[in-house]
Amino acid sequence: MTAPTTPTGAGEPTASDPAPGGRRVRHRVRATLLLTGLTAALVAVALVSAGLGAYPVPVDQVAASLLHAIGLDLGTPPDRIGQTVLWDVRLPRVTLAVAVGAALGVAGAMMQGIFGNPLAEPGVIGVSSGAAVGAILVIFSGLTVFGHWTIIASSFVFGLATTLFVYVFARSHGRTEVVTLLLTGVAVNAVAGAAIGLMTNFSQDAQIQTITFWQLGSVSTATWAKVAAITPCLLLGLAVIPLYARRLDLLALGEGPARHLGVDVERMRLVVIAALALLTSAAVAFAGIVAFIGLVVPHIVRMVTGPGHRILLPSSALGGGLLLMSADLLARTAAAPAEIPLGVVTAALGGPFFFFLLHRTRAKQGGWS
């Protein structure tokens, strides 16, 4: 009696069907290289950015000053003027740019995961505009109920309300439609623009200048106090990563399979939406409307490491900080001594990328008609 035969290739991996263990190892290697590369690039660009400006400070002196601040007497720090420029002007700006970029990068990745839509991004679907309305309303009315936190609180409430509205309105038969999401974003941006225009029309000259700052985006008014204020918001938003990254991966399989695997989908949505609204609102409160960071960064990360959120979310934080800091460096040096609004730079970079994603998504779905 002969033993039963198995189909050719069954039971053992081939060159075209690598072993799962090998794939996992390669994935970990790519993830480690990506996180290490992003961290190294972030530090390098930060040192360069902190040294460039009207009063240049060499990179080695910037590094020496930072090392001296943590008790390591290595290198030669800059002179007194250089130290003042570095610690009172440049470093707060660089740090705030990294924090805002990290918040927007993670918020974009979370939004794409929870909406199940690759074109979701706080600026595109109107969440940033909604949060800006809350911030500008505080400026226009002069409210100071919570002191420096009033703008953040108002921005968060409006940002959360906008996120929930877009999410509910764009959902249909258990999924988020691409066209509905984009059209909802157009409508929300239009309504928010009308509200901002109305408040601008009845504002004083000083208020108009501040409102213009929110509309164009900038981190030029960065201070250590603002860095300290945005840090708790950023940490609370990032705290979602270890708790819900794996569950977002399961949600990508569909709501039904995710529930069968033990995921409380509705609870997860509420937590993730609150986190991304907090991140977006904090970014808008301190830097104004800065679009496309949350769209560009997660897609670039996915091209390198795949869609797994355990790597995607922290990589989007690092990549967002790196991209926004680089954009701010370009904004303040490309036309020196004048400064290009930060939102203009990110829109110029992100707009063409959005067209590319729009075309690719439509081609994959075979059209939207």
Side-chain angles (χ1 to χ4, degrees):
M1 182 175 181
T2 59
T5 59
T6 58
T8 302
E12 61 178 8
T14 64
S16 60
D17 183 25
R23 287 197 298 268
R24 285 195 294 268
V25 170
R26 284 192 293 273
H27 176 72
R28 291 195 191 100
V29 170
R30 285 198 302 268
T32 302
L33 290 175
L34 177 63
L35 291 172
T36 303
L38 286 173
T39 302
L42 188 69
V43 172
V45 175
L47 292 175
V48 173
S49 181
L52 291 179
Y55 189 93
V57 180
V59 173
D60 60 325
Q61 293 185 10
V62 174
S65 182
L66 292 172
L67 292 173
H68 276 242
I70 60 175
L72 298 176
D73 294 330
L74 300 174
T76 303
D79 56 25
R80 182 178 300 178
I81 297 177
Q83 287 277 62
T84 301
V85 170
L86 186 62
W87 287 95
D88 292 347
V89 180
R90 303 267 177 77
L91 287 178
R93 180 166 184 163
V94 168
T95 307
L96 184 62
V98 171
V100 170
L104 293 174
V106 173
M110 287 180 180
M111 189 169 288
Q112 290 161 20
I114 205 69
F115 278 58
N117 194 302
L119 298 178
E121 195 267 345
V124 174
I125 66 174
V127 177
S128 294
S129 297
V133 170
I136 292 172
L137 181 62
V138 171
I139 297 170
F140 176 73
S141 61
L143 293 175
T144 56
V145 179
F146 304 108
H148 294 297
W149 290 90
T150 307
I151 289 180
I152 300 175
S154 178
S155 180
F156 171 71
V157 170
F158 277 78
L160 178 60
T162 305
T163 306
L164 291 172
F165 171 78
V166 171
Y167 175 76
V168 171
F169 197 83
R171 295 282 292 178
S172 178
H173 303 294
R175 65 188 183 90
T176 305
E177 298 176 338
V178 175
V179 175
T180 306
L181 182 70
L182 296 179
L183 293 179
T184 302
V186 171
V188 169
N189 281 320
V191 172
I196 293 172
L198 185 64
M199 286 186 284
T200 303
N201 184 64
F202 291 101
S203 297
Q204 303 297 323
D205 290 343
Q207 292 175 324
I208 291 175
Q209 292 181 356
T210 306
I211 290 173
T212 302
F213 158 78
W214 294 109
Q215 290 179 289
L216 297 178
S218 176
V219 289
S220 60
T221 60
T223 61
W224 287 118
K226 291 184 177 181
V227 172
I230 196 176
T231 298
C233 301
L234 181 61
L235 293 178
L236 283 174
L238 295 180
V240 171
I241 294 176
L243 299 176
Y244 287 93
R246 178 61 177 167
R247 300 178 201 183
L248 285 171
D249 290 343
L250 296 177
L251 183 62
L253 301 174
E255 292 185 18
R259 286 194 178 95
H260 286 302
L261 292 170
V263 178
D264 188 341
V265 176
E266 297 306 322
R267 177 184 175 86
M268 180 182 68
R269 280 187 181 135
L270 291 176
V271 173
V272 173
I273 285 175
L276 69 89
L278 177 63
L279 290 168
T280 302
S281 302
V284 170
F286 291 106
I289 300 176
V290 181
F292 294 112
I293 296 294
L295 182 73
V296 173
V297 173
H299 278 280
I300 294 176
V301 172
R302 284 192 192 95
M303 292 176 186
V304 177
T305 189
H309 286 83
R310 284 177 291 182
I311 300 300
L312 175 63
L313 293 177
S315 298
S316 295
L318 292 172
L322 175 61
L323 181 58
L324 190 63
M325 178 173 54
S326 302
D328 179 59
L329 177 61
L330 179 63
R332 63 185 176 85
T333 58
E339 185 170 315
I340 303 172
L342 182 58
V344 173
V345 176
T346 59
L349 296 174
F353 192 82
F354 180 71
F355 283 128
F356 163 72
L357 292 178
L358 193 63
H359 172 74
R360 190 177 69 171
T361 303
R362 183 178 63 179
K364 284 185 177 180
Q365 297 188 3
W368 293 330
S369 58

